[in-house]
Amino acid sequence: MERTGAAAVIIGNEVLTAKVVDANGPLLIRRLREVGIPLRSVEIIPDDVDIIVEAVARARARAPYVFTSGGIGPTHDDVTVRAVALALGRQVVRLPEMVELVRKRSENLTAEALRLADAPEGAVLLPQEGTWFPVLTVDNIFLLPGVPQLFKLQLETVLARLRGTPVHLCNLYLRLGESAIAAVLDRVALDMPHVAIGSYPVFDATLDYRVKVTVEAAEAPPVEQAVARIRGGLPADAVLRQE
Amino acid sequence: MERTGAAAVIIGNEVLTAKVVDANGPLLIRRLREVGIPLRSVEIIPDDVDIIVEAVARARARAPYVFTSGGIGPTHDDVTVRAVALALGRQVVRLPEMVELVRKRSENLTAEALRLADAPEGAVLLPQEGTWFPVLTVDNIFLLPGVPQLFKLQLETVLARLRGTPVHLCNLYLRLGESAIAAVLDRVALDMPHVAIGSYPVFDATLDYRVKVTVEAAEAPPVEQAVARIRGGLPADAVLRQE
């Protein structure tokens, strides 16, 4: 796996216990695809420091950009800052500019409210339009809040700073089943490792096709070449349409 | 983390590249909660043998029951069987009873179709109502297909064989913000580690509350005790309602 793209860690007991349906993972998946940043993995894990430390370290090994969702806040179950610091081998420090922001908007400034200003050493804040709460980031890890409205706002702030590469994709809709096309796909996938070929059967009599084959790559010519080879290896009427 | 419950591995380039929105993870999360089996983690990863091997090993370390979704089929991108075998240190064998099932329903039996009969050594098949395709399982790993209709059918077959423990849950809806309640939650969470306390702020002026606090445990008395302690530590009018 090339070490490009992004990896995501969704921190949330509330998701794993079905108290809320995670909206942040699906949004991140969709938006990264739209801007052309490959996503390597999404892990949904509990609010547990040790588990978060491991997941963040794993995400960093997989991709240069890491997005976390959740565990940012002043309560006992908000342990993401501490875990990210541990994953990086850093201390937790109090960011003076965040202390100022918290102070400005707190009626009575509690010790707990000030926890919002804690961050891994080396962290910086990115100004966030539409809310007082800035984006917290350190070493290309973006610590986004779990609350979906805030996650969505902050995600766009981060994406505006990253550069993606749109993918070239071609879909083939086939009237044959997977077993009948597997040998052809095998050969093309083996010969062209830089082209990603996916095969997705459907079991739905209301659809006119039985398998959707996806062919994608960073450039258009290898996609066209792979599609031509797949079509050439199948019976002439196997492909219902190409999109 | 107690080594009980389940962990999930969703295998799917198509999910990570936003070609389809994963329905299997959310369904699994909901159903496990309903039957009272705690879910430890959900990993969404690509169709890559090495990555699947590691994710399955990790899932097994976290929980006695592991569910995989996807990568079961005859094409080049179906590598789950091989990866699970590697994770267990087993060979891949061809199951005679599955060869028979595949033979019965194939017009022309290709070598690729027979790949459907490959399984990690020691695997068994559980008969599945509603489809010819049985559930493949080995060492409490359930290798479910990624196609949502099949995943759903097979999941119910598996769940009917497992025994959960329903959770006792109480929700408190508070008019105070998280910073104002954090100190109380801290103390109760620290004193009662067997009670899971979650704090979920909302930023929605149309709602009457600012934070939802969830209190849960395997037994009712500790939940009641924790709720009483939280309420006792807050101003009398802080709790809007308790459910």
Side-chain angles (χ1 to χ4, degrees):
Chain A
M1 190 187 282
E2 296 168 74
R3 212 179 147 281
T4 59
V9 181
I10 310 288
I11 296 142
N13 286 340
E14 73 279 23
V15 173
L16 291 172
T17 54
K19 293 192 190 82
V20 303
V21 175
D22 175 44
N24 298 343
L27 176 71
L28 182 68
I29 290 173
R30 182 168 65 75
R31 290 294 294 129
L32 286 175
R33 176 69 173 187
E34 284 168 358
V35 301
I37 296 173
L39 178 60
R40 303 308 179 187
S41 62
V42 177
E43 291 198 35
I44 310 176
I45 53 171
D47 309 336
D48 177 292
V49 173
D50 294 341
I51 295 174
I52 302 170
V53 170
E54 283 171 30
V56 168
R58 194 155 45 237
R60 272 168 66 78
R62 286 175 175 164
Y65 297 104
V66 173
F67 291 83
T68 68
S69 163
I72 299 292
T75 57
H76 67 286
D77 54 352
D78 292 314
V79 295
T80 303
V81 162
R82 187 148 47 100
V84 168
L86 283 167
L88 295 174
R90 306 270 176 82
Q91 304 286 319
V92 172
V93 298
R94 190 148 281 184
L95 295 180
E97 62 270 43
M98 191 70 178
V99 171
E100 217 30 63
L101 287 172
V102 174
R103 196 186 300 278
K104 259 189 226 161
R105 68 177 305 287
S106 299
E107 310 94 72
N108 52 346
L109 192 66
T110 60
E112 289 75 27
L114 280 173
R115 286 185 197 161
L116 283 170
D118 286 347
E121 204 181 344
V124 294
L125 300 174
L126 310 177
Q128 175 60 56
E129 259 185 78
T131 167
W132 71 276
F133 198 87
V135 179
L136 179 62
T137 176
V138 58
D139 286 27
N140 288 326
I141 304 172
F142 304 101
L143 291 80
L144 306 193
V147 177
Q149 303 102 300
L150 297 179
F151 182 92
K152 190 174 178 177
L153 278 176
Q154 295 207 354
L155 175 61
E156 294 307 321
T157 298
V158 175
L159 292 182
R161 304 167 70 95
L162 304 181
R163 170 110 175 250
T165 312
V167 167
H168 294 268
L169 168 68
C170 179
N171 297 315
L172 297 173
Y173 295 84
L174 307 183
R175 67 170 90 241
L176 298 176
E178 275 201 310
S179 295
I181 63 168
V184 175
L185 295 187
D186 262 10
R187 275 197 304 276
V188 182
L190 198 67
D191 288 352
M192 304 184 72
H194 283 56
V195 178
I197 300 174
S199 173
Y200 306 106
V202 292
F203 299 91
D204 181 344
T206 66
L207 296 172
D208 63 347
Y209 67 97
R210 289 178 63 191
V211 178
K212 175 180 169 184
V213 169
T214 63
V215 181
E216 70 180 80
E219 308 290 334
V223 172
E224 288 158 18
Q225 199 189 334
V227 167
R229 285 198 53 186
I230 292 168
R231 296 193 71 132
L234 294 172
D237 65 345
V239 180
L240 287 162
R241 60 188 178 280
Q242 173 175 337
E243 283 172 2
Chain B
M1 189 186 288
E2 295 167 75
R3 213 180 145 281
T4 58
V9 180
I10 310 289
I11 295 142
N13 285 341
E14 74 278 22
V15 173
L16 290 172
T17 55
K19 292 193 191 83
V20 303
V21 175
D22 176 44
N24 298 344
L27 176 71
L28 182 68
I29 290 173
R30 181 168 65 75
R31 290 294 293 129
L32 285 174
R33 176 69 172 188
E34 284 167 358
V35 301
I37 296 174
L39 177 60
R40 302 308 177 185
S41 62
V42 178
E43 290 199 35
I44 309 177
I45 54 171
D47 309 336
D48 176 293
V49 173
D50 294 342
I51 296 174
I52 302 169
V53 170
E54 284 171 30
V56 167
R58 194 155 46 239
R60 272 168 65 79
R62 285 174 175 164
Y65 297 105
V66 173
F67 292 84
T68 69
S69 162
I72 300 293
T75 57
H76 67 288
D77 55 351
D78 292 313
V79 295
T80 303
V81 163
R82 187 146 48 100
V84 168
L86 282 167
L88 296 173
R90 306 267 177 84
Q91 303 287 317
V92 171
V93 298
R94 189 149 283 182
L95 295 180
E97 62 271 43
M98 191 67 177
V99 171
E100 219 29 65
L101 287 172
V102 174
R103 196 187 300 277
K104 258 190 226 156
R105 68 176 305 286
S106 298
E107 310 94 73
N108 52 347
L109 191 67
T110 61
E112 289 74 27
L114 281 174
R115 286 186 197 158
L116 284 170
D118 286 348
E121 204 182 343
V124 294
L125 300 175
L126 310 178
Q128 174 59 56
E129 261 185 79
T131 167
W132 70 276
F133 198 86
V135 180
L136 179 63
T137 176
V138 58
D139 285 27
N140 288 326
I141 304 172
F142 303 101
L143 291 80
L144 306 193
V147 178
Q149 304 101 299
L150 297 180
F151 181 92
K152 190 174 179 176
L153 278 176
Q154 295 207 355
L155 176 61
E156 294 307 320
T157 298
V158 175
L159 292 181
R161 304 169 69 95
L162 304 182
R163 169 113 176 249
T165 313
V167 167
H168 290 84
L169 168 69
C170 179
N171 297 316
L172 297 173
Y173 295 85
L174 306 183
R175 68 169 88 241
L176 298 176
E178 274 202 309
S179 295
I181 63 168
V184 175
L185 295 188
D186 262 10
R187 275 198 304 276
V188 180
L190 198 66
D191 289 352
M192 305 185 71
H194 282 57
V195 178
I197 300 174
S199 171
Y200 306 106
V202 292
F203 299 92
D204 181 344
T206 66
L207 296 172
D208 62 348
Y209 67 97
R210 289 178 63 192
V211 178
K212 175 180 168 182
V213 169
T214 63
V215 182
E216 70 181 80
E219 308 288 334
V223 172
E224 288 159 18
Q225 198 189 335
V227 167
R229 286 198 51 187
I230 293 169
R231 297 192 70 131
L234 294 172
D237 65 345
V239 180
L240 287 162
R241 60 187 178 282
Q242 173 175 337
E243 283 171 5

